[in-house]
């Protein structure tokens, strides 16, 4: 069975009636359908109060998250990890999220929007408009973590946790200061004891105030090659707040992959944090995905293919933050150096990355993603990256455009890459989609389910085992 539906009917209707897209969004609204980032667009007028809008007056469709422990919906025995591993087959609640601080609940089967929630509903201090579309869930407790960013004269990040047991929200750290700039953070990182924010080099001009007249995030963003990325490590166990500050060379990133702790080899009673990230040398990737630049026959596409496209292709980088303890520090502390351990080639790098979630917050070796080998004006194929050998296996077939892969572990497997990879692929020759099942070890095709239609591209999906 295949089902799909719009989840922003009220917003669409308003645009249809008025002929205007009057909401602040992620990218320019040359035409509401012109950019792939319409998926990221959210109706930001909630900045000035949104109580009059109905459940479908928002566009929230970037990530889908089953069984988030929202207020009034604690899901004690049903953590995200259990769902992803097939240990639990019941999807009680399905939420959508975006980079705007609004979540929308859908009926898990009909996909009908049934509820809307804004960050102040979680905690009154979470009053900023922006957040990460990707929150993180503790693989053991199901508690979920994210940040809320308030913009204005001073930028304030509030890192919070919603308890799976009680549905209550706790603010773990409130961060502001001269080095705490307003930046576009699509995702955070989580280890066993810490939440990590990296202030990627995608800054909002005038601490976000420029958005008031650009009416979109992208045109208010800039890359500063002279400013280092600031990494903030927040304790999530002992109430210490900020316990580590690091800096690295500037880069932009959408999707950090896994992160974990390992004992420090040089500092007693401290740990190092290791994390993998697909990184970009500037913000060209953000402009590349306007439809006018993606159509292979368009003039715009020529600005992003061949040599001109190099800067919008990522590499996979591994970073280490050394010597983290549990002593509270101030945001004015002298940052330590984040160390880059390796960088992949651009051909090997996975984007929209995923991994075996049984290894979340533990050392992991394999990363699955889509690759961009510069063969087309879109994504070229699927890739499996081995961080131990720094090699990759790719499935790149002409005119076969894949969506984000989803890794499912073999329930009886013991090896990290024992499982399958699912991806919805558009066959550009037939003009139809299919669900592809790859052996996650060899990357050979095991099966496919042909569909008699095109499944529209989104960015992110999830898998829940059937009952
Ligand atoms: Fe994303």
């Amino acid at each position: 069975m295949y089902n799909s539906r719009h989840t922003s009917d009220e917003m669409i209707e308003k645009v249809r009636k008025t002929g205007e897209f009057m909401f602040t969004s992620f990218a320019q609204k040359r035409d509401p359908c012109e950019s792939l980032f319409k998926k990221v667009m959210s109706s930001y007028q909630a900045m000035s109060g949104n109580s009059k809008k109905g459940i479908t007056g928002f566009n929230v469709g970037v990530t889908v998250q089953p069984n988030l422990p929202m207020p009034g919906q604690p899901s004690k025995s049903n953590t995200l990890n259990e769902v992803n591993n097939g240990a639990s087959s019941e999807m009680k609640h399905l939420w959508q999220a975006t980079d705007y601080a609004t979540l929308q609940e859908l009926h898990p089967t009909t996909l009908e929007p049934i509820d809307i929630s804004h960050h102040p509903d979680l905690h009154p201090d979470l009053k900023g408009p922006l957040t990460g579309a990707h929150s993180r869930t503790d693989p053991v407790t199901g508690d979920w973590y994210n940040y809320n960013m308030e913009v204005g004269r001073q930028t304030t990040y509030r890192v919070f946790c919603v308890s799976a047991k009680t549905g209550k929200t706790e603010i773990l750290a409130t961060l502001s200061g001269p080095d705490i700039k307003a930046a576009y953070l699509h995702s955070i990182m989580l280890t066993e004891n810490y939440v990590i924010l990296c202030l990627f080099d995608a800054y909002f001009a005038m601490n976000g105030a420029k958005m008031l007249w650009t009416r979109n995030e992208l045109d208010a963003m800039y890359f500063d090659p002279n400013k280092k990325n600031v990494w903030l490590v927040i304790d999530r166990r002992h109430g210490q707040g900020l316990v580590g500050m690091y800096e690295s060379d500037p880069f932009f990133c959408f999707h950090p992959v896994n992160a974990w702790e390992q004992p420090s080899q040089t500092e007693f009673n401290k740990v190092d944090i290791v994390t993998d990230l697909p990184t970009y040398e500037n913000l060209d990737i953000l402009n590349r995905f306007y439809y006018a630049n993606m159509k292979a026959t368009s003039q715009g596409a020529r600005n992003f293919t061949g040599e001109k496209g190099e800067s919008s292709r990522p590499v996979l980088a591994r970073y280490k933050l050394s010597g983290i303890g549990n002593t509270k520090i101030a945001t004015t502390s002298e940052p330590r150096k984040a160390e880059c351990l390796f960088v992949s080639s651009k051909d090997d790098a996975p984007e929209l990355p995923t991994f075996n979630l049984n290894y979340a917050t533990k050392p992991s070796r394999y990363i699955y993603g889509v690759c961009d080998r510069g063969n087309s004006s879109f994504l070229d194929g699927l890739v499996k990256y081995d961080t131990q050998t720094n090699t990759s296996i790719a499935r790149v077939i002409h005119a076969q455009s894949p969506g984000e892969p989803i890794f499912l572990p073999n329930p009886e497997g013991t090896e990290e890459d024992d499982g399958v990879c699912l991806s919805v692929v558009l066959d550009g020759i037939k003009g139809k989609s299919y669900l592809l099942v790859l052996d996650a070890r060899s990357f050979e095709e095991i099966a496919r389910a042909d569909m008699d239609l095109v499944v529209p591209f989104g960015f992110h999906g999830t898998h829940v085992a059937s009952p």
Side-chain angles (χ1 to χ4, degrees):
M1 203 256 313
Y2 171 76
N3 186 19
S4 77
R5 60 158 291 154
H6 288 298
T7 54
S8 309
D9 293 348
E10 191 186 318
M11 173 187 267
I12 292 168
E13 201 46 39
K14 208 170 262 178
V15 174
R16 185 176 284 146
K17 271 189 189 147
T18 62
E20 284 177 30
F21 193 93
M22 67 291 272
F23 315 102
T24 302
S25 66
F26 186 85
Q28 274 180 28
K29 300 162 294 287
R30 298 165 185 170
D31 175 301
C33 297
E34 204 169 320
S35 166
L36 190 61
F37 284 113
K38 74 173 181 174
K39 282 282 183 191
V40 184
M41 282 181 191
S42 293
S43 44
Y44 288 177
Q45 78 273 41
M47 283 181 203
S48 55
N50 50 43
S51 55
K52 289 192 186 128
K53 289 174 64 182
I55 291 167
T56 63
F58 303 87
N59 183 356
V60 191
V62 179
T63 54
V64 281
Q65 306 186 24
N67 299 340
L68 276 186
M70 297 294 284
Q73 296 182 345
S75 55
K76 199 179 345 187
S77 60
N78 213 349
T79 70
L80 183 65
N81 203 35
E82 284 172 336
V83 169
N84 276 313
N85 295 335
S88 167
S89 58
E90 194 182 357
M91 180 157 54
K92 287 183 182 159
H93 301 282
L94 177 64
W95 288 87
Q96 296 200 99
T98 181
D99 293 314
Y100 178 64
T102 291
L103 295 116
Q104 184 187 48
E105 185 180 9
L106 307 179
H107 186 284
T109 309
T110 66
L111 304 180
E112 184 188 350
I114 50 179
D115 199 2
I116 199 91
S117 181
H118 309 287
H119 275 197
D121 301 335
L122 301 175
H123 192 291
D125 290 348
L126 302 178
K127 48 199 173 205
L130 299 174
T131 186
H134 298 263
S135 52
R136 295 278 174 176
T137 305
D138 183 297
V140 177
T141 63
D143 295 346
W144 72 279
Y145 294 80
N146 210 338
Y147 76 93
N148 174 279
M149 185 172 77
E150 194 176 352
V151 290
R153 185 175 291 179
Q154 173 178 269
T155 300
T156 304
Y157 291 84
R158 292 184 178 87
V159 179
F160 65 89
C161 166
V162 183
S163 161
K165 222 177 228 175
T166 64
K168 288 220 168 74
T169 301
E170 180 191 356
I171 294 182
L172 302 173
T174 301
L175 306 166
S176 56
D179 289 330
I180 309 299
K181 302 282 185 213
Y184 172 52
L185 274 60
H186 184 58
S187 179
I188 59 170
M189 292 154 265
L190 189 79
T191 65
E192 195 183 337
N193 295 290
Y194 304 100
V195 182
I196 303 106
L197 268 59
C198 180
L199 308 189
F200 300 124
D201 199 327
Y203 300 109
F204 292 117
M206 305 168 66
N207 269 338
K210 194 174 175 188
M211 268 188 281
L212 293 173
W213 68 83
T214 63
R215 306 279 291 168
N216 74 80
E217 286 185 61
L218 185 49
D219 287 341
M221 261 185 235
Y222 67 97
F223 184 89
D224 181 351
N226 300 314
K227 181 162 168 45
K228 291 193 180 293
N229 284 15
V230 174
W231 302 63
L232 303 163
V233 182
I234 294 108
D235 168 40
R236 69 179 180 100
R237 299 283 185 194
H238 310 100
Q240 291 295 307
L242 183 70
V243 293
M245 236 177 122
Y246 295 78
E247 62 179 25
S248 66
D249 287 339
F251 63 82
F252 172 67
C253 168
F254 289 109
H255 302 116
V257 198
N258 195 12
W260 61 86
E261 296 161 26
Q262 58 190 34
S264 166
Q265 287 167 349
T266 52
E267 295 181 69
F268 179 68
N269 248 348
K270 293 195 171 179
V271 296
D272 299 341
I273 287 176
V274 179
T275 186
D276 296 326
L277 318 89
T279 65
Y280 296 87
E281 61 205 74
N282 57 32
L283 300 184
D284 286 353
I285 182 67
L286 294 173
N287 288 301
R288 176 172 163 187
F289 284 149
Y290 277 103
Y291 286 165
N293 299 333
M294 284 198 299
K295 275 178 76 174
T297 50
S298 70
Q299 181 60 41
R302 286 174 208 136
N303 297 328
F304 291 94
T305 44
E307 249 173 56
K308 286 183 181 170
E310 281 302 289
S311 58
S312 60
R313 298 170 64 208
V315 294
L316 182 80
R318 174 168 285 183
Y319 276 87
K320 185 165 88 167
L321 314 177
S322 297
I324 292 158
N326 281 318
T327 309
K328 191 182 180 82
I329 62 167
T331 56
T332 47
S333 307
E334 187 62 32
R336 301 173 74 172
K337 196 169 165 19
E339 189 185 347
C340 182
L341 301 181
F342 67 73
V343 168
S344 79
S345 77
K346 291 191 174 183
D347 279 354
D348 290 330
E351 181 51 285
L352 304 180
T354 192
F355 62 102
N356 183 338
L357 290 175
N358 286 329
Y359 290 73
T361 73
K362 299 174 195 158
S364 61
R365 174 173 176 179
Y366 301 107
I367 301 171
Y368 301 88
V370 291
C371 60
D372 174 6
R373 300 199 156 185
N375 297 331
S376 73
S377 54
F378 195 47
L379 302 162
D380 298 336
L382 293 161
V383 67
K384 171 188 182 182
Y385 191 85
D386 182 339
T387 60
Q388 217 162 74
T389 59
N390 284 315
T391 56
S392 74
I393 316 175
R395 178 191 188 269
V396 180
I397 301 172
H398 176 67
Q400 307 297 301
S401 299
E404 173 198 48
I406 291 182
F407 177 88
L408 295 182
N410 176 355
E412 282 146 30
T414 51
E415 301 290 320
E416 186 185 329
D417 59 348
D418 188 354
V420 296
C421 258
L422 307 179
S423 173
V424 178
V425 182
L426 174 66
D427 181 331
I429 293 164
K430 286 188 187 157
K432 293 190 174 156
S433 302
Y434 57 93
L435 175 67
L436 175 69
V437 186
L438 295 179
D439 180 328
R441 202 170 265 174
S442 64
F443 241 41
E444 297 290 326
E445 179 172 339
I446 297 175
R448 72 166 72 182
D450 284 313
M451 302 179 74
D452 206 22
L453 44 76
V454 173
V455 177
F457 280 106
F459 283 121
H460 300 293
T462 188
H463 173 270
V464 180
S466 55

